[in-house]
Amino acid sequence: MARVTEAAVMAALKALQDPASGRDLVTAGMVQGLTVKDGNVQFVLEVDPAQGAKLEPLRQQAEQAVLALPGVASATAILTAHRSQAAAQPRPATHHENHAHAHGAQQRPPLPGAGKAALPNIRSVIAVASGKGGVGKSTTAANLALALQAQGLKVGLLDADIYGPSQPRLMGLTGRPDSPDGKTIIPHRVNGLPVMSIGFLVAEDTAMIWRGPMVQSALMQMLRDVQWGQLDCLVVDLPPGTGDAQLTMAQQVPLTGAVIVSTPQDIALLDVKKSIAMFRKVDVPILGLVENMSVFVCPNCGHESHVFSHGGAHREADKQGIRFLGEVPLDLKIRETSDAGRPIVLHFPDSPQAEGYRAIARQVWAAAEEQLAGGTRQGPKITMQ
Ligand code: ADP
């Protein structure tokens, strides 16, 4: 079959007209983030927020036009509302916003809950977050989701780590999910647990260049357009850090609460404090802290080495007024299973590591149920300086 090129895709999109400006899609600068890989074509159409959903027919036309090209196996266009730079950039907080109960930047919902995506079939959404990358956030999210499922809950896993989606690798999943009606996506499943990741749609290196507004829009589509079914809990693997994209997700997704993952050596550092402050600023309850890679367990003799001072994370969590959910050791088997796409909770359910994750999941769910029941927030609020 003929190979399709980026130039051919751009030429096809140039033949379509933006009804708002009257210009073609390419000249109007609407086509962004184009990737062509093995006949699979993906791109973003950036549109004026005022046009919003009205341009859905244009998105479909664009997909059809690309799909009609020789050598194209699939075409995916994602519509994003392009905000002005001023709105997309974080701005310095005003005095009022420095108050602990303050809400986020301009154009954001004035009240918690307002403007958030309505997810009628999903009872709770738990975000797994970290101050920085590489601390084991995704590994924790995957095993936490499976451990919650082992508790008898109906669980889904959304990989919102758009800058470096790792759930496909961790869960051992590949290939594009089906979309028979062209509107909704049937998620892949692991042990019956639905999983969705931008990594199924876009190559990892492409995701890296996505800007905040695109990220948001892709996330909202993954939340709303995926056939999650009835869920007790959707676990969301957030991107690391506390940029504008994370802040917006924390505001637009109706989060029941956040679980923060940290390594012991990072726990007292600014990254984690910033992460905690971000959730507090947008009134997302922090369910607690998981200390990952806490102790090193020798794979040969089982001896535990406390590489960093043990108990420090627990103390730090207490100090910051958040619940300590438990610790996961730095363990070769966790790394191997996670890197081989065979999460330990599912593939080695009798291992002590799997029991460790299940114990953490019980704590997480207890904290989430408190929130669902309208429970009180834990601990003092901190004020950002
Ligand atoms: P993040 O999502 O924070 O970037 P990952 O979950 O991708 O981190 O983990 C980074 C690396 O650390 C992976 O190779 C993973 O297998 C490994 N890892 C995560 N948690 C543990 C652990 N408790 N013990 C050993 N290796 C771990």
Side-chain angles (χ1 to χ4, degrees):
M1 193 154 61
R3 285 179 82 87
V4 64
T5 60
E6 287 188 12
V9 172
M10 289 306 254
L13 295 173
K14 214 169 161 30
L16 296 177
Q17 201 186 42
D18 168 27
S21 67
R23 289 183 298 174
D24 73 78
L25 300 190
V26 176
T27 309
M30 291 166 68
V31 182
Q32 303 284 336
L34 173 65
T35 59
V36 179
K37 201 172 169 216
D38 301 331
N40 298 307
V41 180
Q42 285 115 20
F43 53 95
V44 167
L45 286 182
E46 271 196 2
V47 300
D48 182 339
Q51 300 293 316
K54 271 190 279 175
L55 292 179
E56 172 59 20
L58 180 67
R59 187 191 68 80
Q60 290 181 16
Q61 263 180 25
E63 274 187 358
Q64 291 308 321
V66 173
L67 207 51
L69 293 171
V72 173
S74 76
T76 306
I78 296 174
L79 210 55
T80 77
H82 175 69
R83 297 183 301 164
S84 69
Q85 272 314 99
Q89 293 299 319
R91 64 187 174 83
T94 61
H95 174 71
H96 171 71
E97 284 167 347
N98 279 332
H99 187 266
H101 284 276
H103 303 289
Q106 271 168 339
Q107 300 187 0
R108 293 202 170 116
L111 290 169
K116 294 194 175 189
L119 303 168
N121 297 327
I122 301 179
R123 226 178 108 211
S124 68
V125 183
I126 296 177
V128 179
S130 64
K132 63 172 199 179
V135 300
K137 169 183 57 62
S138 301
T139 302
T140 307
N143 282 297
L144 177 64
L146 289 161
L148 288 166
Q149 186 195 39
Q151 254 175 263
L153 297 166
K154 284 205 160 53
V155 183
L157 177 60
L158 171 60
D159 183 1
D161 190 348
I162 231 143
Y163 300 110
S166 27
Q167 293 305 338
R169 174 175 52 83
L170 290 177
M171 289 297 220
L173 296 167
T174 49
R176 294 173 65 81
D178 280 342
S179 175
D181 63 1
K183 292 193 189 82
T184 56
I185 294 172
I186 300 175
H188 289 307
R189 283 181 187 266
V190 172
N191 194 38
L193 183 149
V195 183
M196 183 60 196
S197 169
I198 198 79
F200 298 135
L201 304 177
V202 181
E204 236 171 273
D205 49 351
T206 310
M208 300 287 289
I209 58 160
W210 286 32
R211 288 189 290 112
M214 298 179 182
V215 171
Q216 280 163 40
S217 162
L219 176 83
M220 296 320 272
Q221 287 188 28
M222 290 201 295
L223 266 172
R224 285 188 293 226
D225 300 344
V226 168
Q227 295 182 22
W228 293 109
Q230 291 278 347
L231 295 183
D232 293 308
C233 177
L234 179 67
V235 174
V236 180
D237 182 3
L238 283 187
T242 50
D244 197 42
Q246 289 86 340
L247 186 61
T248 309
M249 283 183 200
Q251 289 181 296
Q252 293 195 346
V253 181
L255 297 177
T256 309
V259 170
I260 296 177
V261 180
S262 173
T263 58
Q265 67 271 36
D266 291 317
I267 183 75
L269 300 184
L270 196 60
D271 290 334
V272 175
K273 289 187 176 148
K274 271 163 93 178
S275 189
I276 292 170
M278 179 188 82
F279 287 114
R280 286 189 167 147
K281 192 172 179 192
V282 294
D283 272 339
V284 170
I286 294 168
L287 302 180
L289 177 100
V290 173
E291 185 191 19
N292 192 35
M293 311 188 193
S294 63
V295 296
F296 175 65
V297 183
C298 173
N300 299 320
C301 67
H303 173 75
E304 287 190 5
S305 310
H306 296 265
V307 185
F308 306 98
S309 71
H310 191 227
H314 202 154
R315 276 195 298 280
E316 188 61 32
D318 286 347
K319 209 164 97 191
Q320 302 207 21
I322 61 177
R323 191 187 299 230
F324 187 67
L325 296 165
E327 54 191 39
V328 180
L330 174 63
D331 183 284
L332 186 63
K333 189 121 178 140
I334 293 178
R335 194 194 62 70
E336 281 173 355
T337 49
S338 134
D339 292 349
R342 292 165 57 77
I344 199 155
V345 168
L346 183 62
H347 290 274
F348 299 90
D350 298 329
S351 63
Q353 296 92 329
E355 177 45 35
Y357 279 117
R358 287 194 297 268
I360 290 172
R362 286 193 290 271
Q363 294 276 334
V364 168
W365 189 242
E369 283 205 304
E370 246 172 49
Q371 294 302 329
L372 292 171
T376 52
R377 302 264 157 84
Q378 299 266 315
K381 297 233 173 197
I382 52 169
T383 304
M384 299 232 300
Q385 293 303 319

